Amino acid sequence: MNLRSSWVAETGQTREDTRLTQLGATTPANPLEVRSGILPGSYDGLYRMSGFWMEGTGGSMKATVHEGRAVIAAGASRGAYPVTLPEPATLTFADGDASNPRVDLVVLRVYDSLYDNSGQTKPALEIVQGTAAATPVAPAAPAAALPIYQVKVPAGASAGKGGLDWTTVLTDLRTPTVAVGGILPVYGETGNGAYPGQYRDSGGALQRWDGSAWVSYPSALGGIAPAGAVTTASYTGQYRDSSGGLLQRWNGSAWVSYQPVPSWTDYTPTWGAETGTAPAIGNGTLAGSYVKTGTVVHVRIYLKIGSTTNLTAQDANANWTFSLPVAPTSVAWKLDGRVLNTEAFDASTSLLYQGSGLLAVTGGAGYVRSLRDTLATSTGIWDKSLPFTWASGDVLTIHGTYESAS
C-alpha cells in the first residue's frame, strides 16, 4: 500500500514523502494539540470532501478508498502526523458471523514504535473488526487513529453470497481540518470551536465561534440569528428568531420576547361611591381583567348585582366609581374628557342602556367615575337608581382602552 507519512520513520524518509505530506493543515484543538481530520476539496469543486472517499465493489466484500490527505493528532506529547494516500487502495472485509451482524471501523492509523512499542513506524489504512452481536456496536478506535467509515456486516455475508449491499452498510465518519485561521467546512461533526473568532461554513451561513456557541456572522452588525443557531448571545441587544416564531432579544442574561404576546390578567376592582355608604358586593360578582402593552391598557370590568348586595344602604346619589388596574396618564390634555364605554343591563325588562365613564386620577391611583347615558337622555350619574332601579341579576360592564402613566 502506497500510504505516505513524514516524521514517523526513523530512517528512509524521502524528499517525495516530505513534499506529499507537508500539508500546513493544523486546525487548533487547544494550545498544544490540533484537530485530526481530512483536508477538504474535490477535483471539480462540487464537494466539500472527497479525500479518503470509500466505495464498495458490487457483489463482493471489497471496497476502494480513494486518494486524500489527512492529519492524525496523537496527543500533546506526540504531535500530529500528516499522511497522504496518493492513489486508491483496496480493503477486504472478513465474512459475516453465522448468527449475528457486526460493525467494522475503517481507520487511518499511525504506528510509532517510539511511543506504542508496536515495533513499527508507518502509517496504515486498516479495518478494525467489530464483535458480532444481536445489536452490534462499532469498536473503539485505536490510539493515533482517525476513523473514516463504519461498515455494518450482516450475519452470513460473504463474497459467495453476493457480498455487501454497499448502498446501505456504509456510514461516513470523515471530518475536515484546515490550516490555522482557515474557514472550516462543516462535514460530519465539527464540534466546538478552539478559540473565539474561529470561523466555519455551515453550508448555508458563515459562523463564528463566540466562546460558547457557533453564531451566524456578522452577528455584531445586527443580523438576526436563525432559530436554533444561537444558545447564548454574543452581546446584550442581539436578536434571534425563536423556534416558536417570535423575535427575541438578549437582555444580558436571558432571551426575552422583543414583542411580548399580549395576555389578559385578572384583577378585582374596588367598587366605590363619591357620597354615602360604600357599596358591598355581597353574593354578587365583581371582576376585572386587563392587558398592558407598553403604555396601552385594555380593561374590562364586570359587576352583577346579587341578592345580598347592599343597594338599600347606599345613598340615592352615591355616584359609583370603579378602580382601574393601572393609573392613567395625568397629563391634562390626555386625561381631560377621556372615557370608557359602559353598558347597564336591566334583567327585569331585558333592556340595555349604553353609557360612558370618565377617567380620573387621585393620589396616583386611577379610577372611572361619572357613569352616565351616552346620548344624554338622562343627566344623572349612575348609581342604585340610575339608569334604572338596580336589583339582583342586573349587570354593569365597563370596557375600553386608555394610556397609562408608565
Side-chain angles (χ1 to χ4, degrees):
M1 182 184 299
N2 190 19
L3 186 65
R4 308 291 187 90
S5 183
S6 58
W7 316 124
V8 58
E10 294 181 4
T11 61
Q13 178 172 319
T14 68
R15 287 176 293 175
E16 188 177 65
D17 290 334
T18 304
R19 288 195 304 270
L20 286 171
T21 59
Q22 293 310 294
L23 312 176
T26 53
T27 300
N30 57 47
L32 290 178
E33 298 177 274
V34 299
R35 172 189 174 87
S36 293
I38 295 169
L39 270 68
S42 60
Y43 287 113
D44 51 15
L46 291 176
Y47 306 102
R48 288 175 172 259
M49 294 254 290
S50 63
F52 295 97
W53 170 58
M54 189 170 81
E55 61 175 337
T57 302
S60 76
M61 303 293 287
K62 294 182 178 181
T64 299
V65 179
H66 291 273
E67 61 272 21
R69 297 181 297 169
V71 172
I72 301 174
S77 62
R78 292 176 59 175
Y81 298 85
V83 298
T84 298
L85 181 64
E87 58 190 27
T90 300
L91 296 175
T92 301
F93 292 82
D95 292 347
D97 178 76
S99 302
N100 291 308
R102 72 170 191 271
V103 176
D104 292 349
L105 193 65
V106 179
V107 300
L108 289 171
R109 183 178 183 182
V110 170
Y111 290 90
D112 190 342
S113 187
L114 185 63
Y115 297 93
D116 57 25
N117 297 317
S118 63
Q120 303 180 81
T121 51
K122 67 173 187 177
L125 178 63
E126 294 183 344
I127 300 171
V128 181
Q129 188 169 310
T131 301
T135 305
V137 295
L146 172 63
I148 59 173
Y149 279 92
Q150 283 182 6
V151 178
K152 186 171 184 179
V153 181
S158 68
K161 295 183 179 180
L164 297 174
D165 180 0
W166 294 102
T167 62
T168 61
V169 300
L170 286 179
T171 300
D172 190 352
L173 302 179
R174 294 174 298 162
T175 55
T177 190
V178 294
V180 62
I183 296 175
L184 189 70
V186 175
Y187 188 96
E189 175 55 49
T190 59
N192 292 339
Y195 56 91
Q198 185 178 2
Y199 290 90
R200 75 176 186 180
D201 178 61
S202 67
L206 184 63
Q207 295 180 323
R208 178 183 181 275
W209 181 254
D210 70 356
S212 61
W214 290 104
V215 179
S216 294
Y217 179 82
S219 62
L221 298 181
I224 297 174
V230 179
T231 302
T232 303
S234 301
Y235 58 94
T236 300
Q238 185 177 1
Y239 291 88
R240 75 173 185 182
D241 178 31
S242 74
S243 58
L246 295 176
L247 182 63
Q248 294 181 323
R249 180 182 182 275
W250 183 257
N251 67 4
S253 59
W255 292 102
V256 295
S257 294
Y258 178 62
Q259 292 290 348
V261 178
S263 60
W264 288 93
T265 300
D266 292 341
Y267 86 105
T268 301
T270 298
W271 181 20
E274 294 183 341
T275 62
T277 301
I281 189 62
N283 63 357
T285 302
L286 178 62
S289 60
Y290 68 98
V291 174
K292 185 176 187 297
T293 305
T295 58
V296 178
V297 180
H298 305 279
V299 64
R300 55 194 182 197
I301 298 171
Y302 176 85
L303 169 68
K304 185 173 184 179
I305 303 298
S307 61
T308 62
T309 302
N310 69 336
L311 292 174
T312 56
Q314 296 178 36
D315 193 271
N317 296 298
N319 299 343
W320 289 344
T321 65
F322 296 87
S323 66
L324 294 171
V326 181
T329 177
S330 58
V331 176
W333 72 269
K334 292 184 176 183
L335 188 62
D336 187 24
R338 295 302 193 270
V339 298
L340 297 179
N341 296 317
T342 66
E343 288 89 26
F345 177 71
D346 184 352
S348 63
T349 62
S350 296
L351 293 178
L352 184 69
Y353 298 78
Q354 292 185 328
S356 61
L358 286 173
L359 293 176
V361 178
T362 299
Y367 60 101
V368 57
R369 61 180 295 271
S370 296
L371 279 63
R372 64 179 72 223
D373 292 356
T374 299
L375 300 179
T377 54
S378 172
T379 59
I381 296 175
W382 290 1
D383 45 33
K384 72 174 186 178
S385 58
L386 284 173
F388 49 79
T389 300
W390 291 80
S392 179
D394 295 340
V395 173
L396 173 68
T397 59
I398 303 171
H399 57 91
T401 301
Y402 63 92
E403 180 182 352
S404 67
S406 61

